Amino acid sequence: MNPDILTDQLSLFLDVLETGSFSAAARRHPLTPSAVARRIDNLESAVGSRLFTRSTHAVRATPAGNAFAERARRIIEELRLARAEAVSLSSAPEGLIRIDAPAAFGRRHLAPAIADFLVAYPGLDVHLRLIDSFVDMQGSHLGEVDLVLRAGPLADTRLVATPLAYMVRIACASPAYLASRGVPACPSELPAHDGLDWDGLAPPFAWRFSVAGQARLYRPSRMRMAANNAETLLFGALAGLGIAHLPTWLISDYLLRGELVPLFCEGGLPAAESSGIYALRLAHETNSRSRLLLEFLKSRFSPIPPWDLALRSELRWQ
């Protein structure tokens, strides 16, 4: 089987496992829910075992499906690493890769990944610029740089986007705030609380929660702090000012250390947003240096981002 086809098939299987829904998995791929169901049927036939049980409400992994998932993750990782290694050995890549990336994500996750990448490929150099400008994140500097990383929905369909990771958003607050004001039992209780919010244009999925299968907007009525920077809202939450609704790539370490408490996660991590973290470029064909970096970043951040994998493991969310 073509390695790309196998990777896509296994990634689709893992997305169904992660989301518990053919429809949710379809939103991560250019597929319809019925096409996802057919591909899972074909995979089950090829494997010779039922991987999911289906109901009108959810799709759940069988014991065989859970066991297969562990193998699938390893296969995807090995295929991507093998491809990256083959490129490096065949072309001995040299030269400079220029990248623009969001400052917060760049500091926490991209910079360590690029450091490891440069250790693995001593002939390559990276010029990484961390920026907060929303305009720059649309790719306005492409042509001056090779890649632009973008966290959020894609506005310019003329650009070629490579998905690197999905995004999950969690409502959270400090233990001190919750001890003082109480723990909201459901999103509809948020208006009785203080919060921290975006100044101006908020992310499209901020303060939106799935209630009875419908996306509903619930937000605190009093916003103690508004800012145009997610890290600023994080610091306000840590200080006990109120409840924030932030992506897990930003807050996972604080949740794991108990400095922030996740809300409305009794059933596990919320569903991933239809937007995510992407690498943007101008053309379908890119240089071998950038392709090598893209493969490295995909193997680092998918199919399950390491920050979400740590949350599911350490907090034992099922």
Side-chain angles (χ1 to χ4, degrees):
M1 177 181 285
N2 185 311
D4 289 330
I5 295 175
L6 177 59
T7 298
D8 290 344
Q9 183 82 321
L10 295 179
S11 295
L12 181 63
F13 162 76
L14 291 172
D15 283 340
V16 173
L17 179 72
E18 171 73 16
T19 62
S21 163
F22 290 150
S23 297
R27 288 194 290 271
R28 299 183 183 178
H29 300 261
L31 295 171
T32 63
S34 60
V36 172
R38 286 195 300 273
R39 293 197 180 189
I40 294 300
D41 288 341
N42 292 338
L43 180 61
E44 289 179 328
S45 296
V47 172
S49 178
R50 174 75 73 176
L51 302 177
F52 293 104
T53 58
R54 299 148 167 90
S55 71
T56 56
H57 302 292
V59 179
R60 301 188 183 279
T62 63
N66 283 321
F68 184 74
E70 297 303 316
R71 299 276 185 181
R73 294 187 185 101
R74 289 199 293 271
I75 291 170
I76 290 173
E77 172 111 12
E78 288 299 323
L79 283 172
R80 286 179 175 162
L81 290 176
R83 184 183 290 113
E85 183 179 6
V87 171
S88 70
L89 292 174
S90 63
S91 61
E94 296 181 351
L96 176 66
I97 308 171
R98 303 159 301 169
I99 310 167
D100 282 0
F105 182 82
R107 283 191 293 268
R108 281 173 166 77
H109 303 292
L110 183 61
I114 287 179
D116 290 342
F117 174 77
L118 292 176
V119 169
Y121 302 101
L124 292 175
D125 305 312
V126 167
H127 180 188
L128 173 62
R129 183 173 59 172
L130 301 182
I131 53 180
D132 283 313
S133 167
F134 185 78
V135 173
D136 285 351
M137 287 296 98
Q138 298 300 327
S140 63
H141 285 172
L142 278 171
E144 302 172 23
V145 298
D146 300 296
L147 299 171
V148 169
L149 261 64
R150 174 84 171 91
L154 298 176
D156 192 341
T157 57
R158 294 171 298 177
L159 301 177
V160 180
T162 299
L164 299 180
Y166 61 76
M167 285 208 299
V168 172
R169 197 173 298 271
I170 289 181
C172 59
S174 71
Y177 173 86
L178 297 174
S180 171
R181 296 292 301 275
V183 180
C186 58
S188 63
E189 295 183 7
L190 284 174
H193 284 265
D194 295 340
L196 303 109
D197 203 8
W198 291 84
D199 176 26
L201 185 63
F205 297 95
W207 304 113
R208 283 167 173 79
F209 303 90
S210 178
V211 178
Q214 299 291 322
R216 298 185 182 275
L217 176 66
Y218 295 107
R219 60 198 301 272
S221 57
R222 181 188 179 190
M223 293 298 178
R224 297 295 312 282
M225 177 190 291
N228 64 347
N229 176 275
E231 283 185 302
T232 303
L233 304 181
L234 166 62
F235 297 143
L238 290 169
L241 296 180
I243 298 173
H245 194 212
L246 298 171
T248 52
W249 64 257
L250 179 64
I251 62 173
S252 61
D253 288 345
Y254 301 95
L255 294 172
L256 291 170
R257 292 195 297 262
E259 296 174 47
L260 291 175
V261 177
L263 302 175
F264 322 131
C265 293
E266 293 79 7
L269 287 174
E273 300 177 1
S274 57
S275 63
I277 299 169
Y278 304 90
L280 307 180
R281 61 188 191 276
L282 283 175
H284 285 278
E285 293 299 325
T286 188
N287 60 64
S288 60
R289 302 183 301 277
S290 296
R291 287 199 303 272
L292 188 61
L293 177 59
L294 287 174
E295 289 300 326
F296 187 91
L297 294 178
K298 286 194 293 183
S299 70
R300 182 90 165 212
F301 298 142
S302 63
I304 300 177
W307 49 88
D308 283 352
L309 196 59
L311 284 176
R312 297 201 315 178
S313 173
E314 296 300 322
L315 298 182
R316 291 175 171 79
W317 288 342
Q318 301 298 324

